[in-house]
Amino acid sequence: MENTNHQQPPNPYASTVASLPVKPKAAQPYPYVRVVLGFALLGGATGGLILGLVGALLGRGGDAATLLDILLLIVFAGAVLGLVPAFLCGLWLAVSRARRNETGLLSAALVGAAISVLYLLVITQEIASMPFGFLGGVAAFLVGLLLLPAPIEAA
């Protein structure tokens, strides 16, 4: 008679693997360098990308090559101009050890907007540039979704 029981034989190494210690989430160190440098490198470019996409959607159009060239130029300009405020936002979030939860993402958006508005006021010295500063809050929220570490699981 053939064995109709389709169970596999027990794995002799299963007890060894199960007994290995698992590092809990709380014991993992905070990724300070990833947050600070990631915000510095991606924050301004993200703001430039958002501004370029909105401008392309609201613009008069044109051929795709020209729109792509303008979009790349705006992303590059955003990366250069937004380097300092994005670095400061990332530094603030890393020092406060922000996580990718409601509180961390809200603080990323608020800190990003506040630093961007103040930075634009210092650079341009015009109140009319303030709405562009709030773009820093949106960019910080999006970059926070990507770079902030996951929340610590409750034990």
Side-chain angles (χ1 to χ4, degrees), residues 10-129:
N11 186 348
Y13 301 109
S15 63
T16 306
V17 173
S19 66
L20 291 175
V22 177
K23 192 182 239 188
K25 286 270 190 191
Q28 293 179 350
Y30 190 84
Y32 293 102
V33 174
R34 181 182 84 184
V35 171
V36 174
L37 289 181
F39 267 81
L41 295 175
L42 295 177
T46 303
L49 179 66
I50 294 167
L51 184 64
L53 288 174
V54 169
L57 291 174
L58 297 177
R60 299 178 192 217
D63 62 341
T66 305
L67 286 176
L68 184 63
D69 289 342
I70 292 171
L71 182 64
L72 289 175
L73 180 65
I74 292 173
V75 168
F76 179 73
V80 172
L81 294 173
L83 180 70
V84 172
F87 172 79
L88 292 174
C89 179
L91 186 65
W92 180 287
L93 293 172
V95 168
S96 66
R97 299 172 60 104
R99 298 267 174 189
R100 192 178 48 236
N101 55 16
E102 295 85 11
T103 306
L105 293 173
L106 179 64
S107 65
L110 292 176
V111 168
I115 289 175
S116 298
V117 166
L118 291 174
Y119 182 75
L120 279 175
L121 284 175
V122 168
I123 297 296
T124 64
Q125 297 176 351
E126 295 203 17
I127 301 287
S129 65

